[in-house]
Amino acid sequence: MRGRSRRALALLGAVALAVALGGCGDHDGDGSGDQDPGQVDAVDAPELGACRVLTPEDVAQPTNASRAVACTEPHTAETFAVGDLPAELHDAAYDAGELGAYAYQTCSQKFEKFLGADESTVMRTVVSWAWFRPSEKAWDDGARWYRCDVVGGGEKSTAYVDLPQTAAGLLAQAPPPDEWMACVNGASVNAAPKVPCTEPHTWRAVTAIKVGNPDDPYPGDRVVEVTTRDYCSDWVGSWLGYPPEYDYGYTWFHEEEWKAGNRRSVCWAATTA
């Protein structure tokens, strides 16, 4: 979608944000990684702090039993939170939407604390989080745990990068290292996967702006998009020093993500810096 602001030449790349509402996808299977037989149908919760070599294919599954590796070895995922689902969800269906909504709220809040950053920063990083539940057999046997992993990539990544020995405090530095912040090298913000801002790029995610309060009802796609557009037009202009003309982009979301708790859209500046 394209448009024109008071100071912008063009608006590029209005797309919907995706969040892990379905539990990292709702496909069958145990992923593509090396499996630990003891974890395939485990009723007990996984180990906190475990590291694994996960792929986007693994993250597309609702459950995962990939073998843990030493965190001193190359790895693309680290478990930063585990716990029991609340009692009110114990009778929910295995693929119930309420599970994904709970995971979104829980994992996203713990993700911020683990990385040492605020909500705006974690929405602009190249790393993301995934959540897993027990296998269907373990679920039938009474397992009701969840596992949140930080992974070295995002929704459009075709492969994940290795994480440091621990990702704890990864974004605590001010400003966060460009190695872990999101840029795009393409004609628009949705034309290519996110890349670290240390790589050549044409777009940089510069802020995540708030478009609603926690208790607000969903105002509709048009209101969210227009609010995002207007905020991002002004914010990116300020970030660039108010040049006569500039390109900016934004990513926004829809009702499903709103119901899960997301209230922020991301503003992007057309820049190679």
Side-chain angles (χ1 to χ4, degrees):
M1 302 177 69
R2 293 177 180 271
R4 185 180 298 272
S5 78
R6 294 188 304 260
R7 306 184 62 83
L9 174 65
L11 169 72
L12 302 174
V15 298
L17 283 175
V19 297
L21 297 178
C24 310
D26 290 317
H27 309 287
D28 293 329
D30 294 319
S32 59
D34 182 23
Q35 301 297 294
D36 178 356
Q39 285 295 311
V40 171
D41 294 314
V43 174
D44 294 334
E47 178 186 356
L48 181 66
C51 294
R52 293 177 174 83
V53 180
L54 297 187
T55 68
E57 290 74 21
D58 295 317
V59 170
Q61 310 303 323
T63 188
N64 176 263
S66 294
R67 194 179 304 277
V69 301
C71 293
T72 53
E73 298 179 4
H75 61 278
T76 59
E78 180 183 353
T79 299
F80 64 88
V82 296
D84 294 325
L85 293 168
E88 60 267 24
L89 294 178
H90 284 193
D91 293 330
Y94 182 74
D95 58 354
E98 295 91 336
L99 301 181
Y102 176 81
Y104 178 84
Q105 292 283 356
T106 303
C107 295
S108 59
Q109 291 174 6
K110 293 179 180 293
F111 187 59
E112 291 178 29
K113 293 180 180 179
F114 183 70
L115 297 183
D118 60 18
E119 187 179 14
S120 173
T121 303
V122 299
M123 290 186 72
R124 296 181 289 116
T125 181
V126 291
V127 301
S128 61
W129 61 264
W131 84 278
F132 300 100
R133 69 194 83 183
S135 70
E136 290 192 68
K137 181 180 184 304
W139 186 271
D140 291 341
D141 290 338
R144 292 295 185 272
W145 50 260
Y146 66 87
R147 174 183 126 205
C148 308
D149 287 8
V150 55
V151 295
E155 181 194 9
K156 295 183 179 180
S157 299
T158 57
Y160 293 147
V161 300
D162 287 344
L163 297 174
Q165 183 170 336
T166 179
L170 190 70
L171 304 180
Q173 178 182 331
D178 271 359
E179 177 185 5
W180 301 111
M181 299 309 292
C183 285
V184 166
N185 193 27
S188 67
V189 298
N190 59 319
K194 294 177 183 177
V195 297
C197 292
T198 49
E199 297 184 11
H201 58 271
T202 52
W203 295 90
R204 177 187 285 264
V206 293
T207 193
I209 53 96
K210 189 176 180 180
V211 295
N213 294 313
D215 295 332
D216 290 346
Y218 185 62
D221 289 355
R222 181 60 178 167
V223 171
V224 174
E225 181 187 1
V226 170
T227 301
T228 300
R229 180 196 66 197
D230 293 346
Y231 270 115
C232 288
S233 171
D234 292 342
W235 211 99
V236 173
S238 174
W239 188 83
L240 291 171
Y242 296 110
E245 293 182 339
Y246 57 89
D247 290 347
Y248 68 97
Y250 56 85
T251 49
W252 58 288
F253 52 87
H254 297 284
E255 187 170 9
E256 186 178 26
E257 292 88 348
W258 185 281
K259 288 180 177 178
N262 187 21
R263 297 293 186 275
R264 288 185 180 270
S265 300
V266 178
C267 302
W268 299 74
T271 178
T272 58

